[in-house]
Amino acid sequence: MKILYAIVSVTCFIFSACTPSCSSDVSSPDGKIRLLFSLTNDKQMTYQVTVNDTLFIAPSPLGFEARNGINLSEGFHITGTDFDSKDETWSQPWGENKSIRNHYNEMAVHLTDTLDTRLTLRFRVFNDGLGFRYEYQLPGADSIFVMNELTSFNIAQDGISWSIPANFDTYELLYRTQPISQTDNANTPITFKTGNVYGSIHEAALTDFPEMTLRNEGNCLFKSELAPWPDGVKVRIAGGSFKTSWRTIQIAPKAVGLINSGLILNLNEPCALETTDWIRPMKYVGVWWGMHLGVESWVINDRHGATTENAKRYIDFAAANNIEAVMYEGWNEGWENWGGSQAFDYTKPYADFDIKEIARYAKEKGIAIIGHHETGGNIPNYEKQLDKAYKWYADLGIHSVKTGYAGGLPNGHNHHGQYNVRHYREVVKTAAKYHTTLDVHEPIKDTGIRRTYPNMMTREGARGMEWNAWSAGNPPEHHELLPFTRMLSGPMDYTPGIFDILYERAKKSPLRKKWNMVDSKDCRVNTTLAKQIANWVIIYSPLQMASDMIENYEGHPAFLFFRDFNADCDWSEALAGEPGEFVVIARKAKDNYYLGATTNEEARNVNIKLNFLEKGKTYKATIYADGKDADWETNPTSYEIIEKTVNANDNLEIIMAKGGGQAITFIPVL
Ligand code: NOJ
Ligand code: CA
């Protein structure tokens, strides 16, 4: 349905004085969210948002500033306004939900200035929030240097916010819970509650543009701050036209509504790949945690983790435990230069890692290999080898790669500017050429491009498990904040599932002692065992890792959960939760359901209706619960496994210890 409104239907006339203002508005399909665009008397572009007729985002500036006399924000007048709406359901090869409803009303405001700059501001309002983007055309311009973004989010009433600080190089930071007005700056997604409404500001479809962070200009007015190039330019455009990423505000009456929203994916372009049948979610184990604990090493020496023998041991374990893949770090030459030139060679395995034999053995056992490319931040070195490296892996039958960018970038570039956004996309496209899926560590933030490139499966982009190995670690509330902030952007390779919570086995390792890897900090995992299991469900990743060394799983009764788990889910719903407090999420994969519930430092009981189960079916529920005496600080490994027969009419009381959780598999009884 496309309606070209007559100019007279908006509240101003072309070239007429804007008194009191020129404005037009668009509402969500259910009428609850209303966005009003206005040109003020002095021709500044602004927008505001109401939710249930209450001001939610007060009038907020729009536009950009550019170099060389190019105007991107001032003196515009409206030449027309188009309205459109869509209600469609589309499906994706994998995801929290295989099918997603895309239902919105659109308003495209067309503007121009006296220099003939043309701008379309495209607003889309959904029942779960809104997005808008800028589409500029500057006839005759051969380049544009964007210096500043004016887009702001003027949250109308103070409340509470949950966010990490703005930083152009890392997202591996602790979350802060603080008044919105006292949040100086933030990276996105920043989630907040004002009045009775929850919101989250982020962006969608970040393409050839720098990331947006937010700076508080006073009270609750957050202005976009783009990650710069080394010379201070924010965006370099070749030619005279560009579209920005979408600026998004998710809105929901309950916090879990933010998690259940498909808005970020809906604002991305449909799949650009010709075929997707080579893309499949997998569970994996890997030669990884031993390195972080110092029991093994990336570099070749007597602690070397990625040896042929160890690789085969992991393949055998995966094959025996219904796990589809294994991942190896420290397999290639270059780790000896760690912290120096970071000049990795992506086609030269270490002498004790016989990759051809390992690939042959994995194939024989039906196990996929996830390769590893650590760049250490040396982008030019990686780009030089990119095509060759992905082809080389593909020729060996390796079609999934974990990448890493741990280290500073050369020539003053930061990780999140336009330069590196381009690089990350180049890698996605090269990987797709070789039918290869990606798990990116130290990535650019997720903005939903997995819809367009479903081989971009998962990424890190927050403090993951590794922080527990060598720092004070992630506090229990971290896992109650991730689902309401970072996870709104997309899947995360957190790498849950450490069973040796206090590193008792690692601490006994003679090699760790010999190499003086025993640090003074009392490192450990800050949860109970049941919470580790629940995080396999909660922290969604289509490549889901059981991250502990396999010795810690062998013979452990609770590892049955991971054997039964399926990373290829069809449906998901966040059932209950509050940011920083607790969360309960259910997922379905084929005929089985999985539920994960976790809590912060507080012990908690949550009553859950099982009405998400298929009606008329009976299920065997296997419950992995905190033991009665469990406590994340004093008794983290106490757990129990309880079996029950349940159906969709039942309620379940979920009992969680301090820093604990609960995981449940529901398998139909035939
Ligand atoms: C940081 C990544 O997050 C981690 O998973 C990896 O083991 C190291 N870099 C080394 O590549
Ligand atoms: Ca990392």
Side-chain angles (χ1 to χ4, degrees):
M1 176 179 42
K2 188 150 201 164
I3 312 157
L4 181 62
Y5 271 51
I7 297 297
V8 286
S9 76
V10 293
T11 57
C12 70
F13 295 88
I14 301 178
F15 306 126
S16 69
C18 288
T19 312
S21 67
C22 303
S23 57
S24 51
D25 69 289
V26 58
S27 295
S28 55
D30 65 6
K32 291 183 179 164
I33 303 172
R34 178 173 170 260
L35 179 139
L36 178 77
F37 167 80
S38 301
L39 270 183
T40 59
N41 284 339
D42 53 354
K43 302 225 167 154
Q44 299 299 315
M45 301 182 289
T46 68
Y47 75 101
Q48 68 179 64
V49 180
T50 54
V51 179
N52 295 325
D53 296 325
T54 302
L55 194 60
F56 184 67
I57 301 289
S60 304
L62 292 165
F64 287 83
E65 289 173 345
R67 236 192 219 164
N68 304 336
I70 285 178
N71 171 44
L72 300 175
S73 63
E74 290 174 344
F76 282 99
H77 58 261
I78 297 172
T79 58
T81 307
D82 291 329
F83 290 84
D84 195 4
S85 52
K86 191 167 250 180
D87 188 3
E88 61 174 13
T89 299
W90 57 277
S91 56
Q92 48 184 355
W94 57 267
E96 300 89 325
N97 292 289
K98 288 255 169 73
S99 76
I100 295 188
R101 186 174 179 193
N102 182 25
H103 188 197
Y104 63 80
N105 290 331
E106 177 176 296
M107 174 174 75
V109 184
H110 307 291
L111 304 114
T112 194
D113 69 353
T114 50
L115 300 171
D116 204 23
T117 297
R118 287 173 221 157
L119 165 63
T120 295
L121 266 165
R122 196 173 299 281
F123 299 95
R124 284 187 188 162
V125 188
F126 304 74
N127 292 343
D128 53 357
L130 60 99
F132 59 88
R133 77 168 180 214
Y134 303 79
E135 300 166 8
Y136 283 102
Q137 278 187 305
L138 287 85
D142 53 14
S143 59
I144 304 166
F145 297 92
V146 175
M147 302 305 292
N148 189 20
E149 176 168 1
L150 303 174
T151 308
S152 299
F153 304 85
N154 190 1
I155 300 170
Q157 197 194 324
D158 202 359
I160 185 164
S161 80
W162 300 276
S163 67
I164 53 167
N167 186 305
F168 299 138
D169 271 306
T170 183
Y171 308 113
E172 296 188 26
L173 302 166
L174 286 174
Y175 285 90
R176 305 145 321 161
T177 300
Q178 56 193 160
I180 301 172
S181 55
Q182 282 169 38
T183 308
D184 289 346
N185 59 58
N187 218 308
T188 70
I190 171 178
T191 299
F192 57 95
K193 185 182 185 193
T194 162
N196 289 323
V197 180
Y198 291 84
S200 187
I201 300 169
H202 188 45
E203 54 184 314
L206 173 56
T207 303
D208 201 9
F209 218 73
E211 78 164 354
M212 175 182 77
T213 67
L214 297 174
R215 193 182 67 215
N216 193 341
E217 302 265 278
N219 291 324
C220 302
L221 194 153
F222 290 89
K223 179 192 161 300
S224 167
E225 283 297 312
L226 299 172
W229 286 77
D231 62 359
V233 172
K234 301 288 173 50
V235 198
R236 297 186 128 79
I237 314 282
S241 65
F242 68 100
K243 281 180 191 166
T244 68
S245 330
W246 293 87
R247 275 64 188 100
T248 61
I249 312 174
Q250 284 166 273
I251 300 171
K254 285 189 185 160
V256 288
L258 300 175
I259 300 176
N260 296 327
S261 155
L263 184 133
I264 302 290
L265 284 174
N266 277 328
L267 288 168
N268 274 268
E269 298 299 319
C271 183
L273 304 180
E274 270 169 31
T275 58
T276 58
D277 52 352
W278 45 275
I279 302 174
R280 62 173 176 134
M282 298 187 289
K283 296 184 286 185
Y284 74 101
V285 284
V287 175
W288 179 75
W289 188 234
M291 273 94 95
H292 284 272
L293 292 183
V295 174
E296 294 172 328
S297 69
W298 283 275
V299 72
I300 188 165
N301 60 32
D302 62 353
R303 277 187 306 150
H304 194 206
T307 63
T308 307
E309 192 194 344
N310 211 16
K312 288 189 171 179
R313 207 166 59 90
Y314 271 72
I315 291 169
D316 289 341
F317 179 82
N321 285 283
N322 191 30
I323 293 168
E324 291 93 349
V326 290
M327 193 275 300
Y328 308 110
E329 291 197 4
W331 66 275
N332 61 327
E333 287 189 10
W335 287 94
E336 51 289 345
N337 301 315
W338 184 248
S341 60
Q342 311 274 48
F344 289 91
D345 191 318
Y346 301 103
T347 51
K348 277 217 180 105
Y350 277 131
D352 58 353
F353 190 79
D354 183 348
I355 197 162
K356 280 198 183 135
E357 169 56 14
I358 295 162
R360 186 205 62 75
Y361 191 72
K363 192 169 176 205
E364 182 184 301
K365 299 273 174 169
I367 298 298
I369 293 178
I370 301 179
H372 185 234
H373 288 167
E374 174 56 65
T375 68
N378 191 342
I379 306 295
N381 178 55
Y382 190 34
E383 289 192 340
K384 250 190 290 167
Q385 301 177 59
L386 204 57
D387 198 83
K388 183 179 164 208
Y390 279 86
K391 181 175 185 312
W392 187 78
Y393 259 158
D395 288 346
L396 284 161
I398 298 173
H399 287 281
S400 189
V401 177
K402 171 179 173 180
T403 59
Y405 296 84
L409 265 51
N411 309 320
H413 287 290
N414 56 52
H415 277 74
H416 306 158
Q418 187 184 16
Y419 167 84
N420 226 25
V421 169
R422 281 179 182 164
H423 165 76
Y424 288 118
R425 182 62 59 89
E426 194 50 35
V427 177
V428 171
K429 288 184 175 172
T430 306
K433 182 172 155 194
Y434 294 105
H435 285 192
T436 299
T437 59
L438 287 174
D439 165 8
V440 181
H441 278 234
E442 297 81 40
I444 186 64
K445 64 171 81 161
D446 201 343
T447 57
I449 68 146
R450 61 179 159 138
R451 179 177 178 188
T452 316
Y453 298 99
N455 66 312
M456 178 57 249
M457 294 191 88
T458 190
R459 69 186 82 202
E460 192 185 36
R463 275 169 75 115
M465 181 63 77
E466 61 181 358
W467 283 82
N468 295 318
W470 29 256
S471 79
N474 302 330
E477 67 161 21
H478 186 66
H479 314 100
E480 313 316 313
L481 286 158
L482 285 175
F484 297 96
T485 52
R486 158 69 183 83
M487 301 303 295
L488 301 182
S489 72
M492 176 178 181
D493 188 36
Y494 181 89
T495 66
I498 297 300
F499 276 23
D500 185 7
I501 296 223
L502 302 174
Y503 313 153
E504 283 165 310
R505 187 190 298 268
K507 282 177 183 166
K508 287 183 202 132
S509 155
L511 279 174
R512 190 172 185 254
K513 287 207 179 78
K514 181 187 152 198
W515 283 83
N516 206 20
M517 297 305 295
V518 189
D519 56 32
S520 55
K521 283 180 237 100
D522 200 10
C523 297
R524 54 160 294 180
V525 173
N526 300 319
T527 73
T528 65
L529 179 82
K531 182 166 174 175
Q532 285 299 305
I533 299 170
N535 275 340
W536 277 322
V537 183
I538 292 173
I539 306 182
Y540 173 73
S541 181
L543 299 174
Q544 186 59 286
M545 186 180 199
S547 56
D548 211 335
M549 298 175 78
I550 54 178
E551 296 85 311
N552 295 321
Y553 296 137
E554 267 155 352
H556 199 303
F559 195 65
L560 177 65
F561 181 88
F562 197 70
R563 290 177 61 133
D564 286 344
F565 186 62
N566 187 346
D568 187 6
C569 84
D570 298 307
W571 166 92
S572 300
E573 191 171 323
L575 303 173
E578 282 298 326
E581 305 274 322
F582 75 104
V583 69
V584 185
I585 296 182
R587 306 196 192 279
K588 184 181 189 210
K590 297 207 169 68
D591 293 332
N592 298 345
Y593 288 83
Y594 304 93
L595 181 143
T598 56
T599 179
N600 60 6
E601 291 82 353
E602 310 250 321
R604 201 180 299 265
N605 293 4
V606 185
N607 197 280
I608 291 293
K609 288 194 178 79
L610 300 184
N611 57 7
F612 55 84
L613 296 173
E614 211 173 302
K615 314 270 169 291
K617 273 197 177 169
T618 305
Y619 292 84
K620 182 176 111 181
T622 307
I623 302 171
Y624 300 78
D626 288 321
K628 296 208 170 34
D629 52 354
D631 178 312
W632 75 275
E633 269 182 304
T634 57
N635 196 11
T637 50
S638 167
Y639 74 97
E640 53 184 345
I641 302 177
I642 306 153
E643 288 187 359
K644 277 191 180 163
T645 303
V646 298
N647 64 43
N649 300 323
D650 290 326
N651 278 21
L652 210 61
E653 179 83 347
I654 296 179
I655 302 169
M656 296 182 280
K658 292 177 178 176
Q662 193 169 113
I664 309 175
T665 55
F666 299 92
I667 299 179
V669 178
L670 299 174

